[in-house]
Amino acid sequence: MAELLQILISGLSSGAIYALAAVGFTLLWQASQTINFAQGEFVMLPAFFVLAGMTLFGLPLWAAILTAFVLSIVILGAMFKKLVVEPMLPHGTMPLVIATIALGLLMKESVKEFYSAQGQPFPSLFPQHVMDFFGASVSVQDLCNLAVAFAAIIALQLFLQRTRTGRAMQATAQDPRVAEILGVDVKRMVMYTFLINGALAAIASILISPVYLAKFSNGETLGMIAFIAAIVGGFNQIRGALVGGLLIGVLDNLAAVYISAEYRTAIPLILLIVIIMVRPQGIMGTSEGRTV
Amino acid sequence: MLKTLLTGTALAAGLGWAAQADTLKIANIAELSGAGAAAGSVWADGVHLAIDEINETGGILGMQVDMSEYDSQTDPLQSRALVQKAIDEGAFALLGTVYSSSTVVNMLVAQQNGIPQFTGSEAPSITQKGNPYIFRTTFGAQKGMPKIGTYLKDGLGVSKVAIAWANTEYGKGGHDAFVDVAKEMGLEVVSDVPSEQGQADFSADILKIKNTGAEAVFIYLTEEESARFLIEAKKQGLNIPMVGDTVLASQKVIDLSGGAAEGALGHVALSADAPVPLLQAMSAKFTERFGYRPDHNAIKGYIGAYAIKYGTEIVGEANSQKLTDALHGTCLDAATYPGVLMDICWDETGEVSRESFMVEVKNGAQDITTILPPN
């Protein structure tokens, strides 16, 4: 029982961080039909903003994190929208997909070139203590990661459901033309979505890098897992991305402990295939009709 | 006009030939990016330090070393192509690669072309394939395992052990050698956990080990994975001795894992903290130049470059085949050949014999606890 509890908490902790990245996929898809294949690199980059702030500019950790947040929101949010999405979107989804793949490569290679190809130690925000929880040794860091990730997603949900701006963003996602007729500033709402994605990527990056180390190639795995989580959970639902992320985090741990550590990487892919066959809209997603 | 052109061409060709005759081409193929960058780039820095020293002190047989460097991107196929490229471009001897998965593939190309290759790889299979052109710069994993087994059994009094290993050529070699030693010594392997190259999440691996009653864990992972493993082990409160071979207690892992490496134990073939004056002098020069302390890979790269210099000088000419023949069954003592840092011998397979050390990580550095004789 204690073992299972430990697996669950550890899996939920990793899964919550995957969920943050997965939510980004769904947000951008809903707001602008953008599938951002650079999402993994979006999670990789903010950690290097923090490290650069600390090592190159001598900032304390808190100031470096604050700077990284601002940079992430500006570069990964506003600039991404203005410089990549807006010029490419009129040409259709496929050119934009290719553009985001190229952007991911550019970000990865730039970090490798200008910072380092090697993994970098990244300071942890939380204490490294271990707690006894019903017989299971539970890391305070895992619990804090879980709490911060959940808090971010709950705050996002509350913002979208309880505020006027949030509801305007939802209206924009559902039908931008009707939203515009109703007086919603659609362009601004879409921009907000990109800014939120930048912020979520920064949170995920700062939570995951103390354990994974900051490395230019981190986005490859993270992006893939987050993409699968978004599909498994439901690409058109934020809560679906949350469920998908958590499910993959827990399943990964369960598979590695009870089935085989060697085949653990196959588990998310098997889950993806099963979901596509059985419930293509994802666990929490809703079917969308298409016309020709 | 034609006469001028011909004269110019002849002159240019002559000058080119003269320039070529004054240099000796050596190629370094290393993991400068990809999963092995933590090992390969440090190895490359060790090579750079040695080559620059060699050139500043008159080169090899009066010729300056012209070193070309190639990034294998930790991709075995890429490394194979680059070894061929280096040979096509006239390399007389090769340095690298560090990752065994790459070396086991690319060393066949060097063998086919008759070019000696000095590798940082430690998988036992490297020197067991009958390739006369491969030379290690440190001994293979199979040589360290009996020392680790003895330490676990007699030094720590352990009877049940877990193994966390990299599912690569390097990891499999070390894993199999350790399992054989454990069997011989009556150590029960209660958990056997492989991980993929570049694996980031070790939470499940630690959980698996925690719940098997292991009294110690033998860790045979590469640098970044070792650091991630130690960070996760600390996070989850895995309070059993963590023992490794060379990598686990290396300076790179200590730097990457922060405090999580404290208390890690390791059998180390080469250490900047060893009580060996030549090693310490090399470490000081390296630290001054690159701004970080050298680990075993940096020292291996340094020794590899000097092995080429001394071997060539023993032969008396830049001849790849003669260099290869000369180093088999040869010992270089550090008093006469200071660039090898410690007395070193190569057998007929290119395997190395040399003293080694047991270390414990204390206060962010290796604390040498025992000096072990060559085997």
Side-chain angles (χ1 to χ4, degrees):
Chain A
M1 182 60 196
E3 182 184 83
L4 191 64
L5 189 61
Q6 213 166 320
I7 291 170
L8 279 175
I9 292 173
S10 182
L12 288 173
S13 169
S14 310
I17 300 171
Y18 302 151
L20 285 175
V23 166
F25 270 115
T26 62
L27 274 178
L28 297 195
W29 173 251
Q30 289 185 73
S32 64
Q33 272 66 55
T34 303
I35 301 177
N36 178 20
F37 277 106
Q39 185 73 4
E41 280 68 32
F42 276 35
V43 177
M44 172 274 294
L45 193 62
F48 285 94
F49 290 153
V50 175
L51 290 178
M54 290 172 72
T55 55
L56 302 180
F57 301 103
L59 296 176
L61 178 61
W62 66 268
I65 288 176
L66 207 62
T67 311
F69 258 102
V70 174
L71 287 174
S72 301
I73 290 168
V74 172
I75 296 172
L76 305 178
M79 286 176 69
F80 172 56
K81 181 177 183 292
K82 286 282 175 198
L83 302 180
V84 179
V85 178
E86 280 184 9
M88 297 304 292
L89 201 54
H91 302 289
T93 304
M94 194 51 72
L96 183 56
V97 164
I98 292 166
T100 61
I101 292 172
L103 177 67
L105 284 171
L106 177 71
M107 289 165 71
K108 199 168 73 170
E109 294 303 317
S110 300
V111 169
K112 189 169 94 178
E113 188 62 32
F114 296 114
Y115 203 93
S116 171
Q118 298 183 37
Q120 304 291 319
F122 191 88
S124 175
L125 293 180
F126 308 115
Q128 306 278 304
H129 303 143
V130 178
M131 283 168 31
D132 188 68
F133 189 68
F134 296 106
S137 303
V138 178
S139 142
V140 172
Q141 195 178 349
D142 272 351
L143 290 177
C144 292
N145 282 352
L146 193 55
V148 171
F150 261 90
I153 292 171
I154 290 168
L156 175 64
Q157 281 283 28
L158 289 175
F159 171 73
L160 291 175
Q161 287 168 1
R162 303 280 172 87
T163 66
R164 189 181 171 82
T165 311
R167 283 195 292 270
M169 285 170 71
Q170 291 213 58
T172 305
Q174 283 163 15
D175 195 326
R177 278 173 299 182
V178 174
E180 200 157 24
I181 291 166
L182 292 173
V184 173
D185 186 344
V186 169
K187 279 188 177 171
R188 178 181 287 187
M189 294 307 125
V190 173
M191 175 59 91
Y192 285 166
T193 315
F194 280 80
L195 300 184
I196 290 170
N197 183 46
L200 291 178
I203 296 172
S205 185
I206 289 158
L207 293 181
I208 210 159
S209 298
V211 181
Y212 280 23
L213 306 177
K215 190 169 183 183
F216 75 96
S217 57
N218 278 357
E220 294 167 11
T221 319
L222 284 169
M224 177 59 77
I225 294 176
F227 184 59
I228 293 172
I231 295 175
V232 165
F235 219 85
N236 54 9
Q237 293 289 333
I238 288 175
R239 62 178 185 273
L242 175 66
V243 168
L246 295 176
L247 188 64
I248 286 179
V250 172
L251 270 181
D252 179 48
N253 272 8
L254 284 171
V257 174
Y258 295 120
I259 302 173
S260 160
E262 279 172 292
Y263 298 109
R264 63 187 296 181
T265 47
I267 300 300
L269 296 170
I270 292 170
L271 182 66
L272 176 69
I273 293 167
V274 171
I275 289 290
I276 287 173
M277 288 171 69
V278 176
R279 194 176 160 77
Q281 70 270 35
I283 295 169
M284 309 287 282
T286 50
S287 308
E288 284 181 13
R290 286 211 168 194
T291 53
V292 289
Chain B
M1 176 67 188
L2 183 64
K3 193 177 168 186
T4 312
L5 195 64
L6 286 173
T7 311
T9 308
L11 193 63
L15 285 172
W17 181 85
Q20 276 188 343
D22 288 333
T23 60
L24 190 58
K25 210 163 172 60
I26 292 175
N28 179 34
I29 301 101
E31 295 79 358
L32 304 179
S33 63
S41 56
V42 178
W43 155 279
D45 284 346
V47 170
H48 293 161
L49 181 65
I51 296 290
D52 290 350
E53 282 179 9
I54 290 168
N55 281 338
E56 282 163 17
T57 53
I60 300 175
L61 297 172
M63 292 178 279
Q64 290 287 292
V65 176
D66 173 16
M67 193 186 75
S68 314
E69 193 158 83
Y70 305 86
D71 177 12
S72 77
Q73 299 171 19
T74 324
D75 177 357
L77 292 179
Q78 174 84 347
S79 78
R80 185 187 162 93
L82 290 174
V83 165
Q84 186 63 62
K85 185 168 189 251
I87 293 169
D88 291 345
E89 287 176 355
F92 142 82
L94 304 174
L95 288 156
T97 40
V98 181
Y99 264 41
S100 301
S101 313
S102 292
T103 306
V104 81
V105 173
N106 64 48
M107 71 181 198
L108 300 172
V109 179
Q111 182 182 7
Q112 282 160 6
N113 288 276
I115 303 294
Q117 181 178 4
F118 296 78
T119 175
S121 301
E122 296 177 22
S125 61
I126 301 281
T127 49
Q128 291 166 355
K129 292 185 182 295
N131 179 345
Y133 294 92
I134 195 80
F135 294 92
R136 288 197 204 270
T137 47
T138 191
F139 44 78
Q142 77 283 5
K143 288 207 162 193
M145 296 307 164
K147 296 173 182 177
I148 293 168
T150 306
Y151 182 72
L152 281 166
K153 193 178 179 191
D154 302 335
L156 300 176
V158 164
S159 61
K160 291 178 180 176
V161 64
I163 313 175
W165 55 286
N167 195 5
T168 60
E169 184 68 25
Y170 157 80
K172 274 185 270 187
H175 166 268
D176 294 350
F178 182 79
V179 167
D180 289 345
V181 166
K183 203 179 285 177
E184 272 174 33
M185 294 188 169
L187 291 167
E188 185 189 353
V189 177
V190 291
S191 182
D192 195 340
V193 187
S195 58
E196 295 310 311
Q197 183 168 294
Q199 184 171 315
D201 184 358
F202 282 88
S203 56
D205 306 62
I206 304 287
L207 278 168
K208 201 169 179 180
I209 290 166
K210 266 182 97 171
N211 296 307
T212 52
E215 296 160 353
V217 55
F218 173 65
I219 301 164
Y220 203 74
L221 301 166
T222 45
E223 281 80 0
E224 287 174 9
E225 288 74 33
S226 292
R228 291 181 186 124
F229 185 97
L230 291 170
I231 291 168
E232 188 66 39
K234 188 180 179 194
K235 188 156 80 78
Q236 293 197 27
L238 182 67
N239 294 318
I240 54 175
M242 283 180 247
V243 183
D245 186 35
T246 303
V247 172
L248 185 72
S250 69
Q251 195 59 47
K252 190 78 206 171
V253 174
I254 296 170
D255 294 342
L256 283 174
S257 59
E262 282 297 303
L265 304 158
H267 169 251
V268 175
L270 294 161
S271 166
D273 294 304
V276 177
L278 285 171
L279 261 172
Q280 289 171 348
M282 179 267 174
S283 171
K285 280 183 282 186
F286 186 97
T287 309
E288 189 186 350
R289 174 161 168 185
F290 298 108
Y292 68 97
R293 299 192 73 220
D295 70 358
H296 62 288
N297 284 315
I299 303 170
K300 284 192 280 186
Y302 185 87
I303 291 172
Y306 269 103
I308 294 173
K309 169 184 164 68
Y310 295 138
T312 308
E313 288 176 349
I314 289 168
V315 169
E317 61 176 302
N319 183 309
S320 300
Q321 186 58 50
K322 285 185 179 173
L323 170 63
T324 305
D325 296 340
L327 284 180
H328 282 133
T330 292
C331 292
L332 299 178
D333 67 285
T336 315
Y337 303 101
V340 295
L341 306 175
M342 293 169 67
D343 296 354
I344 183 170
C345 296
W346 286 275
D347 69 10
E348 291 306 321
T349 65
E351 185 61 75
V352 158
S353 286
R354 189 170 45 206
E355 281 183 338
S356 58
F357 313 94
M358 287 305 299
V359 304
E360 181 177 354
V361 178
K362 282 184 184 170
N363 303 316
Q366 292 177 343
D367 183 42
I368 307 284
T369 55
T370 320
I371 298 176
L372 302 165
N375 63 339

